[in-house]
Every structure is written in C-alpha cells, then in structure tokens.
Amino acid sequence: MQSARRDLRLWDMDPACLDHRLTPGERREFDERGCFVVRNVLPPDLVARLEDAADRLDAENRPPGDTRPINHIDCIGYDDTFLELLEWPKTIARVIDILGWHIQLYHSHVMVTPPLPEGYLSKPRRIGWHQDSGRLNLDLEGNPRVSLKVGFFLTDTSDVDRGNFHYIPGSHLEETLDFPAPDVEEHPDATPICAAAGDALFFDRRLWHARGRNRSRVTRKVVFFGYSYRWLRPRDNMTVDRYLAGADPIRRQLLGASPTGGFGYTSPSEEDVPLRAWLALHLGEEAVAP
C-alpha cells in the first residue's frame, strides 16, 4: 500500500475538502427528501468565469432568436473552467460520503433557461417531471441509487418564478408516482428550490424533479455534474481525453480512466481507484469501506 501511495502521487487532491464533509443533517435530508442545498459553495470570481463559459457555450449552440431552455451536454469538455468543479473542495467530499470511493464523473451539462416571452401560455399546464438516467429506472430491480448530481447555480433563483428546480420530497423512495388528474395544474407536493448564485444542490438521480417556468427577466444558468459508480457507462460522449495526460491519478479516476482496462471498472485494483488509498491515508484505513 505504501509503494502504491508513493508511486501514484496521491497527495494531489486538496485535503481541505475533508473540512466540508456531509453533515448528519444533510445526510438525513438526502436520505429522506432526496436532496439538500449547500450555500456559498462557489466564490463570486469563479461564478463569473463559469457564467462567461456558459454564455459562450450557449451563444455557439443556440439558434438565432431561440428562447427555449437548452441543455448543453458535455460542458466539461467545452471549457477548462468547468473542470475546476470536478474536485471542488466544498462538494467532492460530500459526494464521496454519499457514494463512496468507487466513483467517476459520468455526465456534465449546462442548463440555460431564458425568460419566457411576455404573455406566454403554458401548454401543458404541468411542468416536465422526470427521473434522471432513463432506462436505469426501468431496468434495475429495486431501483438503487447508482448516481447523484450536483447543481452549481450561476444565477440567482431566490424567487420562485426563475425556472427554479422543483422536486417532490421523498419521491426517490417510491417506485411509482401518482400525478393528479390532467386538469390539476401541478402536483400538490411540488417544492421549488430557492438558491442564490454560488449555491450547490445535491440530489438523488431517482428524485422526481422538473425545471419550473422562467417568468422573470433573468436567464437561469446552472451547471450539473453527475457522479456515479465506475461501472456505469457515461451519459455523455465525454470529450476529456486532453485532460488525462497531465492529470494526477485521482483526477484520472474521476474522469473515467481505468489503467487496468475493462476489468478494472467492476473489479478495481489499487491502481484503478487511487481515491480509496487517498482516503485511507487521510482518514485511516478503518474509515474506508471495502
């Protein structure tokens, strides 16, 4: 173990992240309600740089005059600024505390939601409720957790008319969800998240959630990073190869690399999962699950 730690340069991830581990209250919210918010995760200067990258990504891909919400997939491959979020000290330890050390990034996207045109009439009346990850919700018996997302807010959604993230508390624990009759405008338990720029939302992929309607004058911008177990195929065609050559071993793990090949995703060696050894080094072997 000591030689593996020395050879793999495991000290490259900032140990300061361990000052921002999951609290008992956050774990309870995540387990019972399916999500929680952490305030002031990102400093204003990083929010500004991320918003600039999001604006450029949107400008390059949005058709002229199009005011629809657009989900820009694989944002991490578009601009190095998004890469800074991968092991962000105020979020990564919470991800590890929820999923463990056998993790990777499997999905990244920027959601840009412009204001609705004045006088817009909503059709259908209900917002677009869904669970993440498509077939996982149908194919997996018992529908286990498998992954989570962290949403980094780049614009203020403190008011409830700004395309807010909505969720149904506890819906990640139900295999089916009953919605009201079509003439009822919304699910009675629909709950908006009010978050400021720089806040982060953690949520279980099984949680029923939806983007609200943006009736404000502010374009809503959120970066989402999806973390999963390493054996799950990426949700995107992740264009991260240029980051791998100069990356430290933990970053390579989080970007989906497997030094030992395909077998290493389901039966990993120490070389495949340097994050485990890093945690054992800083927290003690007894604190790291097998």
Side-chain angles (χ1 to χ4, degrees):
M1 179 67 76
Q2 290 298 326
S3 62
R5 289 174 181 166
R6 182 174 61 252
D7 294 343
L8 290 175
R9 296 164 42 231
L10 296 176
W11 292 273
D12 288 328
M13 194 162 87
D14 187 356
C17 71
L18 298 176
D19 295 331
H20 304 281
R21 298 185 64 187
L22 193 70
T23 69
E26 290 166 351
R27 182 175 294 280
R28 183 168 55 254
E29 280 193 75
F30 195 81
D31 289 345
E32 296 177 1
R33 298 179 66 85
C35 67
F36 63 88
V37 174
V38 181
R39 305 295 179 184
N40 301 311
V41 160
L42 302 179
D45 63 318
L46 179 55
V47 170
R49 289 192 292 114
L50 288 165
E51 186 175 12
D52 177 69
D55 287 344
R56 286 185 279 108
L57 176 59
D58 189 62
E60 291 175 18
N61 292 277
R62 181 176 293 276
D66 191 339
T67 60
R68 296 173 300 169
I70 295 183
N71 200 17
H72 299 291
I73 304 297
D74 185 38
C75 64
I76 194 171
Y78 173 77
D79 191 284
D80 293 9
T81 309
F82 295 116
L83 182 65
E84 296 182 41
L85 300 177
L86 181 66
E87 306 139 46
W88 189 250
K90 291 187 177 181
T91 55
I92 188 61
R94 289 177 165 96
V95 173
I96 296 168
D97 281 338
I98 294 171
L99 291 179
W101 47 263
H102 192 237
I103 59 171
Q104 64 178 359
L105 183 79
Y106 86 116
H107 188 29
S108 69
H109 59 107
V110 173
M111 174 59 74
V112 179
T113 309
L116 289 169
E118 189 172 350
Y120 176 85
L121 296 177
S122 302
K123 296 180 180 179
R125 297 174 70 187
R126 187 176 296 146
I127 56 180
W129 294 100
H130 64 283
Q131 296 172 297
D132 283 346
S133 301
R135 290 293 312 184
L136 266 67
N137 303 292
L138 301 173
D139 292 343
L140 292 178
E141 183 177 357
N143 201 14
R145 180 174 287 154
V146 177
S147 69
L148 63 81
K149 271 187 182 175
V150 183
F152 299 90
F153 289 81
L154 307 184
T155 53
D156 184 72
T157 61
S158 297
D159 296 328
V160 296
D161 63 347
R162 296 189 174 188
N164 301 58
F165 181 100
H166 285 66
Y167 74 106
I168 299 174
S171 58
H172 62 303
L173 302 176
E174 305 294 334
E175 293 202 17
T176 60
L177 188 65
D178 293 327
F179 284 93
D183 59 343
V184 176
E185 184 166 347
E186 200 45 84
H187 193 286
D189 297 328
T191 303
I193 291 288
C194 294
D199 292 348
L201 167 70
F202 292 70
F203 69 98
D204 190 308
R205 69 159 187 91
R206 300 168 297 177
L207 187 69
W208 283 88
H209 62 282
R211 180 192 64 251
R213 297 187 177 94
N214 188 356
R215 300 189 184 280
S216 73
R217 297 183 179 180
V218 178
T219 296
R220 172 188 182 254
K221 303 164 195 173
V222 189
V223 180
F224 291 98
F225 270 28
Y227 295 87
S228 74
Y229 297 116
R230 293 176 61 253
W231 38 259
L232 186 66
R233 289 178 64 87
R235 187 96 162 130
D236 311 341
N237 293 321
M238 290 174 53
T239 53
V240 296
D241 287 355
R242 73 179 188 276
Y243 298 139
L244 293 176
D248 64 81
I250 291 177
R251 176 162 287 187
R252 288 178 60 83
Q253 173 189 327
L254 294 177
L255 290 175
S258 179
T260 64
F263 200 73
Y265 289 106
T266 53
S267 300
S269 68
E270 289 184 359
E271 189 178 2
D272 291 308
V273 285
L275 180 56
R276 186 193 185 284
W278 186 91
L279 290 168
L281 179 69
H282 290 280
L283 300 179
E285 187 69 36
E286 67 282 357
V288 181

